Amino acid sequence: MPTLILLRHGRSTANTSGVLAGRLPGVGLDDRGAAQAARLPARLAGIPLAAAVSSPLQRCQETLRPLLAARPGLPLHVEERISECDYGDWAGRKLAELNDEPLMEVVQQHPSAAGFPGGESMRAMQGRAVDAVREWNARIEEQYGAEAVYLMCSHGDIIKALVADALGMHLDLFQRISAEPCSVTVIRYTRLRPYVVRLGDTGDFASLVPPEEGAGPAAERDAALGGGAGAP
């Protein structure tokens, strides 16, 4: 079966302002995110992509723009089921403010039980994304063959949920996975099992630098809802 490249969108204006964007319109890439997207053609050079599949949200469309310009024949498909989690009433709120909500502890410790007010549950988010990948695997294999490679541009929590599924992990453990802006995660699907062959690869090790004094130990920071802003 095909090999899937999961690409998280580049850093967005919501990432840098500390806002949970969710599905709000008008959230595009910031300057760093645009630079990350501009490097994509070189990072993926030599990989014969059969197709690109994107979340409908602006920040994903902008991330793919340089790659599509460099490969004018690459088919682009929009897939609603890999759109950002529907955070409902939480969308547009500051992450620092949301940290005080009792639900945030559930999101961190027991995400399979978390449902966002006015939005969807994290179980539903994972279910629709996994269904989308399985269907696209079959579609890509049928059209391009079992050795085909294709790309999906999506969002941090979606990618983490897909990796958890590929690893056979319970959703309650998915916060142990990281997907920085414009990171590449690769899953090779086979008849017997999926293999995670790359995880959160940005080609940049800046996020490994210890935090500044007062920022707190990295091991004590909670997983960033929505995926976080990546290296400073």
Side-chain angles (χ1 to χ4, degrees):
M1 296 182 72
T3 296
L4 170 62
I5 297 176
L6 287 167
L7 171 69
R8 187 183 167 200
H9 61 78
R11 195 173 75 175
S12 73
T13 53
N15 292 146
T16 45
S17 61
V19 168
L20 184 63
R23 298 180 177 183
L24 293 176
V27 178
L29 302 182
D30 68 4
D31 289 343
R32 180 177 180 140
Q36 290 170 333
R39 291 194 292 269
L40 271 178
R43 289 174 64 194
L44 298 177
I47 300 176
L49 295 174
V53 183
S54 179
S55 158
L57 295 181
Q58 177 181 332
R59 51 197 182 274
C60 289
Q61 304 280 329
E62 290 181 0
T63 299
L64 286 178
R65 197 168 291 158
L67 180 65
L68 294 170
R71 301 193 190 199
L74 182 64
L76 174 65
H77 308 274
V78 175
E79 173 56 74
E80 295 281 349
R81 291 174 295 176
I82 62 168
S83 187
E84 180 65 284
C85 184
D86 184 355
Y87 297 117
D89 298 342
W90 278 27
R93 293 178 62 186
K94 288 280 189 179
L95 287 165
E97 170 190 319
L98 291 172
N99 285 335
D100 296 328
E101 294 278 357
L103 177 60
M104 183 60 85
E105 184 177 1
V106 182
V107 170
Q108 293 293 330
Q109 300 291 338
H110 191 20
S112 67
F116 296 98
E120 69 179 333
S121 69
M122 301 198 93
R123 284 187 295 111
M125 174 198 74
Q126 183 186 45
R128 62 174 165 82
V130 168
D131 285 347
V133 165
R134 300 297 182 186
E135 291 178 23
W136 275 101
N137 283 347
R139 180 173 173 178
I140 294 294
E141 180 174 5
E142 181 180 0
Q143 294 184 4
Y144 302 100
E147 300 304 316
V149 181
Y150 74 109
L151 180 146
M152 274 189 174
C153 186
S154 187
H155 307 269
D157 283 345
I158 295 287
I159 292 170
K160 289 162 58 178
L162 289 169
V163 171
D165 172 74
L167 292 173
M169 293 170 55
H170 197 284
L171 183 61
D172 285 347
L173 302 178
F174 99 129
Q175 299 290 25
R176 302 183 183 196
I177 299 165
S178 175
E180 290 192 15
C182 232
S183 63
V184 167
T185 293
V186 182
I187 304 173
R188 181 170 295 131
Y189 288 88
T190 74
R191 297 294 178 190
L192 297 180
R193 65 185 63 86
Y195 294 89
V196 178
V197 295
R198 292 286 189 279
L199 181 60
D201 187 347
T202 64
D204 180 358
F205 297 105
S207 63
L208 302 181
V209 176
E212 295 180 6
E213 186 175 352
E220 293 182 8
R221 295 199 297 267
D222 282 337
L225 187 59

